Amino acid sequence: MLTCPLLNGTLVRADLLASGGVNVNHGLGRVPQGWIVVDIGVSANVWSTGSNKKVLTLNTSADASVSLWVF
């Protein structure tokens, strides 16, 4: 049986600040394999500076409200 890690995810909404990293609770209970921006309110770049079993630490080039699919 083939499995797709992308299907084992959760939708997360967050307000990110350009002034520094924001910890975003992802709720997976494990280290994420990846994440995808599915909606963003402004033109901005979003990048991760780390993750663990509880949070993603994200930075952005502009203040932004985002929706992420974390898997």
Side-chain angles (χ1 to χ4, degrees), residues 25-41:
N25 293 323
H26 54 69
L28 292 176
R30 59 177 169 77
V31 176
Q33 294 182 358
W35 53 273
I36 300 167
V37 176
V38 294
D39 188 34
I40 189 165

Side-chain angles (χ1 to χ4, degrees), residues 7-71:
L7 298 177
N8 296 320
T10 186
L11 186 65
V12 178
R13 291 180 178 83
D15 292 321
L16 305 179
L17 304 173
S19 60
V22 174
N23 288 330
V24 178
N25 293 323
H26 54 69
L28 292 176
R30 59 177 169 77
V31 176
Q33 294 182 358
W35 53 273
I36 300 167
V37 176
V38 294
D39 188 34
I40 189 165
V42 298
S43 178
N45 294 317
V46 180
W47 65 95
S48 171
T49 57
S51 64
N52 61 37
K53 290 183 179 183
K54 294 184 180 183
V55 299
L56 285 170
T57 302
L58 299 175
N59 286 288
T60 184
S61 59
D63 291 356
S65 294
V66 298
S67 292
L68 308 166
W69 182 254
V70 184
F71 59 95

